[in-house]
Amino acid sequence: MRMSRVGLLSLSLATLFALGCAGETGPAGPAGQPGTEGPSADPSISAITPSKAFVSRRAEVTISGFNTTWTDAATLDFGPDITVVEKKIASPTGIVAVIEVSNKAAVGARDVNVTEGGSTVTYKGAFSLDAPLDVSFEGTQAQGSILLASAKQKDLSTPFDLTTTGDGLFEPIVYTNLAVSGSEGVFGSVEDAQLYGASMIVFTDVKVAAGAADVAIASGLQGEEIISPATGALQIAAREPVALTAGMSVSGTVDQPFGSLLYSYTPSGAGKIIAIEALADSADATTGFAVLPASGKFSELIAFETAPTIEVGAEPVYFVYWDNSGTSGYNIDVTVKEIVPAEVEPNNACGEAQAVATLPATLEAFKMADKDDQDWLVIDALEADVGKVIHVVTSPGEAQTDTVVEVVGSDCTTSLGVSEDSNYHEDFTSEPITAPGKYFIKVTNSTYGYNGALYNLSITLE
């Protein structure tokens, strides 16, 4: 469109007016802020995907680069205890790797390094490791202790193997394909399990190293187990056992549920029989001692009983007091004593019967040396005893010593009755005595099997 002369004139006048009115150039303004520096052209790692893996697992990881020219000659480094088992160069700026993380690898952030031709690019803290198992504990986290533990499986790709034996009524349920392990001196067992959780009992040896310790659950068939560690989950405190002296009482306090107390005792010589007991000032307490040899190892457990009586050598023994009821906030008095055995060998047949001179009699520390052992004792019944019964009670000793009692007449043959063997220990009353003379008490092992050694017995005429 052609502009009119009037329009051109108006434009020219306006331009001239503007030029004619312009003043002198003002002073320069302040300098502006410097702009951001453009991207570097140097090679670098831009991303790690995924950025996390579990300890004791394999994982596929993609490393993305910027301005890189990676080839098959490139090497990868994820730090200690991570092995690159497979590597594929997807492009000059991309590597896909399969890594294997040791069960001993430390959790936390890792640097990732890619090296080729003498040049290394690093992405600091770009990759991290996490323990697949999360474990919490109840009890005393210390040397020489028994703990209850709850475990949660965080790696949902590896549920626990719930294969079991037993019915939970007549036979205990056992998780045959689950096993608890840990740092040296730490082990345990699975008491209950679900796909992604487990309840455990965990033991720490008396001489285990103090500090952070691992606990792990192995799941699966033997040789095919998947290990799920809880790295550093157990914090073991150092503690010295309280030394016991025979006949002296020592006080202790159970200050937390499932807490434990540690004691030691050194026998006065070899072949001694010692008994330990705890008296609690709470009616709800369930007293119990785990007895350990001089090694202090739970794997060599001697007994776990309310008031154990054991035969020991000359080396020290350890006692771990543990209340499995979870009762806490009470005091105990612990006493240990050495027992002089009342048994006189040989007493293995009627003709060798050990005489019991005075009744009633309480006899300690008799011993079933093996499954075929017999202990014979003899008492004298007077004319005044005719019509009375012979009452024999066996007791621990060792809780699972399984005794059978029989009372025999003076001919070593005629039986006045045999105990029913309805429990480990017997409370037996004979038929009435029909004539004065010698009467024999025979103690043998149960036919259910040889389960222990030491026992005590009392004999009365009633």
Side-chain angles (χ1 to χ4, degrees):
M1 176 178 174
R2 179 179 296 175
M3 185 175 289
S4 67
R5 290 182 178 180
V6 176
L8 288 171
L9 180 60
S10 298
L11 177 62
S12 299
L13 290 173
T15 302
L16 291 172
F17 180 79
L19 290 173
C21 295
E24 296 181 358
T25 303
Q33 295 294 325
T36 58
E37 186 177 347
S40 169
D42 293 338
S44 63
I45 298 172
S46 58
I48 309 291
T49 309
S51 60
K52 183 174 75 172
F54 287 114
V55 172
S56 190
R57 297 289 188 272
R58 282 195 174 197
E60 184 177 274
V61 179
T62 298
I63 303 174
S64 301
F66 170 77
N67 204 25
T68 55
T69 55
W70 289 327
T71 69
D72 287 338
T75 60
L76 313 179
D77 181 15
F78 288 80
D81 298 314
I82 299 181
T83 302
V84 178
V85 296
E86 188 178 327
K87 177 191 68 178
K88 179 181 178 181
I89 305 300
S91 72
T93 58
I95 302 175
V96 178
V98 176
I99 62 172
E100 185 169 316
V101 185
S102 164
N103 60 2
K104 299 185 181 300
V107 299
R110 298 291 187 100
D111 295 346
V112 177
N113 300 285
V114 181
T115 300
E116 185 170 6
S119 177
T120 299
V121 289
T122 300
Y123 197 157
K124 289 188 173 295
F127 191 70
S128 65
L129 296 180
D130 191 13
L133 199 66
D134 184 33
V135 180
S136 59
F137 298 92
E138 288 185 276
T140 306
Q141 296 189 45
Q143 294 169 326
S145 191
I146 304 172
L147 301 152
L148 297 185
S150 297
K152 178 183 178 182
Q153 175 63 276
K154 295 189 288 185
D155 180 6
L156 300 184
S157 68
T158 56
F160 293 133
D161 185 332
L162 301 183
T163 303
T164 59
T165 60
D167 55 14
L169 295 174
F170 300 102
E171 296 182 3
I173 293 175
V174 177
Y175 291 86
T176 55
N177 293 345
L178 293 177
V180 180
S181 61
S183 302
E184 185 176 358
V186 177
F187 80 104
S189 63
V190 172
E191 303 298 299
D192 186 33
Q194 302 82 42
L195 285 176
Y196 298 102
S199 298
M200 305 180 292
I201 186 166
V202 176
F203 306 92
T204 62
D205 290 344
V206 173
K207 299 177 183 179
V208 67
D214 301 341
V215 175
I217 295 179
S219 175
L221 294 171
Q222 186 173 4
E224 302 176 6
E225 301 97 331
I226 297 174
I227 309 296
S228 295
T231 309
L234 180 56
Q235 301 296 320
I236 302 176
R239 67 172 171 181
E240 286 292 323
V242 176
L244 299 173
T245 302
M248 299 291 290
S249 178
V250 174
S251 297
T253 300
V254 179
D255 58 3
Q256 61 178 304
F258 304 104
S260 64
L261 300 170
L262 180 61
Y263 302 91
S264 66
Y265 178 72
T266 301
S268 60
K272 300 296 181 180
I273 294 173
I274 60 174
I276 185 171
E277 65 176 350
L279 298 178
D281 63 8
S282 169
D284 297 325
T286 302
T287 60
F289 289 97
V291 185
L292 307 179
S295 66
K297 295 181 178 181
F298 275 93
S299 60
E300 300 172 7
L301 178 73
I302 297 171
F304 184 87
E305 298 174 9
T306 298
T309 299
I310 57 172
E311 186 174 9
V312 295
E315 293 185 316
V317 290
Y318 295 99
F319 300 98
V320 179
Y321 176 85
W322 189 61
D323 183 344
N324 61 12
S325 74
T327 302
S328 63
Y330 66 89
N331 300 315
I332 59 171
D333 290 323
V334 177
T335 306
V336 67
K337 63 178 180 178
E338 290 192 3
I339 298 172
V340 178
E343 184 175 13
V344 178
E345 292 279 7
N347 61 352
N348 304 314
C350 185
E352 300 174 333
Q354 177 177 336
V356 180
T358 303
L359 294 180
T362 299
L363 307 170
E364 292 185 307
F366 273 64
K367 179 180 179 181
M368 287 294 172
D370 56 48
K371 64 182 181 63
D372 298 318
D373 192 16
Q374 298 183 4
D375 293 336
W376 285 76
L377 301 98
V378 60
I379 65 171
D380 289 312
L382 305 176
E383 188 70 40
D385 298 323
V386 174
K388 292 183 179 179
V389 295
I390 301 172
H391 186 188
V392 182
V393 177
T394 59
S395 61
E398 295 177 57
Q400 295 189 6
T401 299
D402 198 348
T403 54
V404 175
V405 172
E406 182 177 11
V407 174
V408 180
S410 58
D411 60 0
C412 291
T413 303
T414 302
S415 178
L416 276 70
V418 182
S419 63
E420 293 182 352
D421 194 19
S422 58
N423 209 327
Y424 285 105
H425 301 284
E426 306 304 307
D427 188 339
F428 172 68
T429 301
S430 74
E431 296 175 6
I433 295 171
T434 58
K438 294 187 179 298
Y439 288 85
F440 297 90
I441 297 148
K442 180 173 73 170
V443 182
T444 57
N445 282 294
S446 168
T447 56
Y448 288 110
Y450 178 61
N451 295 310
L454 296 171
Y455 68 96
N456 306 319
L457 75 160
S458 67
I459 306 169
T460 57
L461 278 173
E462 300 174 354

